[in-house]
Amino acid sequence: MTMNHNLYAALRAAFPKDLSAIAVETDDGQFYSWADLERASAMMANLLDSLNIPKGSRVAVQVEKSVEAMMLYLATLRAGYVFLPLNTAYQSAEIEYFIGNAEPAVVVCSSKNFGWVSKIAFKAGTQNVFTLDDNRTGSLLERAAHCSDQHQVVLNKADDLAAILYTSGTTGRSKGAMLSHGNMLSNAQTLKKYWGWKPGDVLIHALPIFHVHGLFVAIHGALLNGSKMIWMSKFDPKLVIAKMPEATVFMGVPTLYVRMLAEPSLTKAQASTMRLFVAGSAPLLLETFNEWQDRVGQPILERYGMSETVMLTSNPYAADARYPGQTERRGGTVGFPLPGVSLRVQDDEGKALPVGEIGGIQVKGPNVFAGYWRMPEKTKEEFTADGYFKTGDVGKIDERGYVVIVGRSKDLIISGGYNVYPAEIEGYINDMAGVAESALIGVPHPDFGEVGVAVVIAKSGAKVDADAVIAALKSQLANFKIPKKCFVVAELPRNTMGKVQKNLLRDQYKGLF
Ligand code: MLC
Ligand code: AMP
């Protein structure tokens, strides 16, 4: 018999025997059983099939977080199409680029955005635009309601494409990282073992579902373990803490931990049923790690990943004979390469570096993506001749084998777990009237970890108003990309080659917040 590598097939096989049990409980009082997940995803899969689109067609989705949006993801997987999640903060120019580049056969958006999104989609040749809202309404559900709730999961090979995640663009535009069924399933299976998922686990899901952390790590983790999710439409520190006694696992970006630590209700007793707190997507400050350990009585487990690779490294869950030497979670580190992941540190000349020396982090493994959508040249640039992916992160492996990330060679700001590419924002600022040049730098921020600050110089004789720069950006870009401050200055520091020295600017503005 041919083995089916379809990711949904594997998740479905892990559903509990009793399909009437609760799979998801939401913050607006809804309960979904495992049978609901199976049936609703079947109906949506049948709807997609009825559109007569080829297998491998992209289904682009920009909707508010809802269980139905997760079902649409499952439907896309089970029917053999490719899921393309989009941040709800993206505005028209951003959406126009993604739709133009990915050429989706189906676009699903919120009904409040239907006017402008459908215009972009139809112009790009997409014939099917549906709406889906976070209150269980929209044309997608209306149409799916007429479809059968029986659907045969399609047969997929491990390297068949399952999702495209748009990322980076350190120079130029965003690239679509192509992840296969095999990339995601192998990673989910590895994490299931490494993080000790067990019967009875309950996950508090409070992350957005358009990025790797909330969509893949959290959802695959729970489903592959047949675990119930306590589903929150938006992160609210008080609510997460209030729900802890009903749960065992939580995943968040560092900002979520910082915000929970500001709540007096966070105590050891309140968290006593919780067995695992996972952090990632951005550096977790040692200070936050220590404070959490003191207040909650257990260390946060920090792991490291990327859109191109899903999860790469992790601190250990507990001492385990299968992973000798991997016993303790160490703050300030991202732990060990996950089983099956090869990780090495190289210098700029491609020489492997010994323990303790800092260089570029490169990785290889079944989790590493196939390449960037329709960008073979970019893909080639990011892989070494022997098949390692260059992460763009800079770090070292310490004497005990822990990976420590010390910085990034890519010009990237990570703000509250969202990536901001300075080149993109600078491009918009440089196009504004009167602007000669600009530099966007990341500076430390107590809540978001890091935020963008714009430093702008005006053309000679022109006047540029800092507030006007911010206001103009707000009308064009996703809100998290907007610099938190803008300074108009006489000149930017440069090296002898004339290149702006961002490190000096970062130093100058590091105390701003
Ligand atoms: C919101 N704002 C931000 C921001 N989020 N500013 C900078 N960085 C952010 N991340 C700003 C908005 O622009 C707005 O400003 C104001 O804050 C209020 O917006 P909000 O939407 O109400 O904010 P809030 O709900 O508080 O959101 C904060 C947050 C959210 C931390 C909950 O950012 C979040 O969910 N982050 C998680 C991101 C994530 O899932 N990353 C995983 C990537 S996967 P104004 O001025 O308009 O009012 C990945 C791989 C891996 O990286 O390893 O996991
Ligand atoms: P993305 O492209 O959104 O998937 O972001 C991936 C990037 O997030 C990585 O290349 C890292 O720079 C960063 N990242 C993820 N996890 C961590 C972590 N635990 N510590 C530091 N940086 C991280």
Side-chain angles (χ1 to χ4, degrees):
M1 205 178 72
T2 321
M3 162 103 177
N4 190 1
H5 294 271
N6 183 290
L7 174 58
Y8 180 77
L11 300 175
R12 174 67 186 83
F15 284 13
K17 273 208 186 66
D18 176 11
L19 290 181
S20 69
I22 303 298
V24 188
E25 170 193 329
T26 68
D27 50 3
D28 63 346
Q30 300 292 318
F31 292 88
Y32 296 80
S33 67
W34 294 91
D36 291 335
L37 298 191
E38 163 64 19
R39 288 183 47 238
S41 66
M43 291 161 88
M44 292 184 201
N46 284 321
L47 170 60
L48 294 174
D49 283 343
S50 74
L51 304 174
N52 288 319
I53 53 178
K55 293 296 169 194
S57 294
R58 277 73 59 209
V59 177
V61 179
Q62 189 198 28
V63 297
E64 297 299 330
K65 183 175 178 182
S66 69
V67 178
E68 288 70 23
M70 174 179 72
M71 290 163 161
L72 174 59
Y73 166 57
L74 299 178
T76 307
L77 289 177
R78 67 184 288 169
Y81 305 109
V82 177
F83 196 71
L84 196 176
L86 294 165
N87 195 316
T88 45
Y90 292 147
Q91 300 203 42
S92 59
E94 293 154 312
I95 294 295
E96 192 168 2
Y97 171 73
F98 297 124
I99 291 185
N101 189 254
E103 297 183 345
V106 181
V107 169
V108 183
C109 64
S110 304
S111 55
K112 69 175 193 300
N113 297 336
F114 181 78
W116 64 267
V117 174
S118 62
K119 208 161 133 200
I120 291 170
F122 293 140
K123 199 171 131 210
T126 303
Q127 292 186 356
N128 308 286
V129 182
F130 296 103
T131 58
L132 176 62
D133 290 323
D134 56 1
N135 59 355
R136 296 170 299 285
T137 62
S139 61
L140 182 92
L141 299 179
E142 284 161 21
R143 288 280 299 274
H146 300 287
C147 297
S148 160
D149 62 1
Q150 302 295 309
H151 176 271
Q152 178 69 44
V153 178
V154 303
L155 198 60
N156 277 115
K157 299 193 296 299
D159 58 2
D160 284 341
L161 200 52
I164 297 181
L165 268 79
Y166 275 87
T167 169
S168 86
T170 31
T171 56
R173 306 310 298 258
S174 258
K175 302 169 283 190
M178 299 190 288
L179 290 165
S180 67
H181 287 262
N183 290 147
M184 298 203 280
L185 181 56
S186 64
N187 205 242
Q189 286 166 334
T190 300
L191 292 176
K192 181 175 164 153
K193 274 197 217 138
Y194 199 75
W195 290 349
W197 280 92
K198 56 184 182 209
D201 269 335
V202 174
L203 172 79
I204 296 180
H205 193 303
L207 283 166
I209 55 168
F210 35 66
H211 291 305
V212 159
H213 203 161
L215 183 63
F216 299 152
V217 189
I219 290 179
H220 297 166
L223 296 185
L224 197 60
N225 193 52
S227 273
K228 178 173 131 177
M229 283 186 261
I230 298 179
W231 185 267
M232 300 181 180
S233 51
K234 208 173 172 317
F235 171 71
D236 169 355
K238 288 189 175 62
L239 186 60
V240 172
I241 296 167
K243 282 290 189 182
M244 280 181 189
E246 296 169 42
T248 62
V249 182
F250 177 80
M251 297 184 191
V253 300
T255 299
L256 309 199
Y257 289 96
V258 170
R259 291 187 183 182
M260 285 194 282
L261 280 166
E263 295 296 330
S265 58
L266 180 73
T267 60
K268 247 179 226 159
Q270 186 68 13
S272 65
T273 62
M274 295 292 295
R275 68 162 187 89
L276 178 59
F277 289 100
V278 177
S281 310
L284 179 75
L285 292 182
L286 187 56
E287 189 185 308
T288 311
F289 176 89
N290 287 335
E291 207 187 325
W292 191 272
Q293 165 82 67
D294 289 347
R295 275 276 284 287
V296 179
Q298 54 177 301
I300 296 173
L301 179 154
E302 186 174 5
R303 86 328 176 255
Y304 156 56
M306 291 182 78
S307 298
E308 289 93 334
T309 63
V310 209
M311 295 301 102
L312 288 167
T313 73
S314 174
N315 270 281
Y317 172 61
D320 183 327
R322 288 175 296 182
Y323 317 116
Q326 304 183 9
T327 49
E328 161 208 7
R329 297 179 205 164
R330 299 184 80 194
T333 85
V334 293
F336 301 92
L338 285 166
V341 173
S342 307
L343 184 148
R344 69 187 184 193
V345 177
Q346 284 206 343
D347 67 10
D348 290 343
E349 275 78 55
K351 193 166 69 62
L353 292 173
V355 164
E357 283 193 30
I358 291 170
I361 297 177
Q362 301 180 352
V363 294
K364 198 175 187 172
N367 52 311
V368 176
F369 75 137
Y372 295 110
W373 172 255
R374 291 184 181 162
M375 289 187 185
E377 289 307 314
K378 285 262 178 253
T379 303
K380 218 167 133 201
E381 277 169 29
E382 303 300 332
F383 280 88
T384 63
D386 60 348
Y388 277 77
F389 172 62
K390 303 177 202 164
T391 61
D393 292 307
V394 173
K396 63 178 182 183
I397 302 176
D398 75 10
E399 66 294 343
R400 292 171 58 182
Y402 288 83
V403 177
V404 181
I405 298 178
V406 301
R408 301 172 202 123
S409 58
K410 49 192 174 192
D411 191 10
L412 160 69
I413 298 166
I414 305 185
S415 185
Y418 286 142
N419 292 3
V420 179
Y421 289 89
E424 183 188 12
I425 321 304
E426 288 159 4
Y428 277 89
I429 301 177
N430 295 346
D431 282 346
M432 291 179 193
V435 170
E437 203 183 344
S438 64
L440 189 82
I441 50 161
V443 304
H445 188 272
D447 183 30
F448 293 122
E450 200 180 13
V451 293
V453 169
V455 189
V456 178
I457 45 178
K459 282 184 182 145
S460 88
K463 254 192 116 51
V464 172
D465 177 56
D467 292 339
V469 169
I470 302 253
L473 290 174
K474 275 191 178 166
S475 67
Q476 296 170 294
L477 289 168
N479 58 7
F480 63 87
K481 295 182 188 172
I482 309 303
K484 297 287 184 228
K485 281 231 155 64
C486 175
F487 296 95
V488 180
V489 300
E491 57 186 345
L492 294 169
R494 292 172 198 281
N495 65 15
T496 48
M497 311 287 288
K499 201 170 171 290
V500 175
Q501 288 176 297
K502 288 195 170 177
N503 53 334
L504 296 184
L505 286 175
R506 280 192 284 265
D507 237 27
Q508 185 182 342
Y509 292 104
K510 69 178 180 219
L512 254 185
F513 298 98

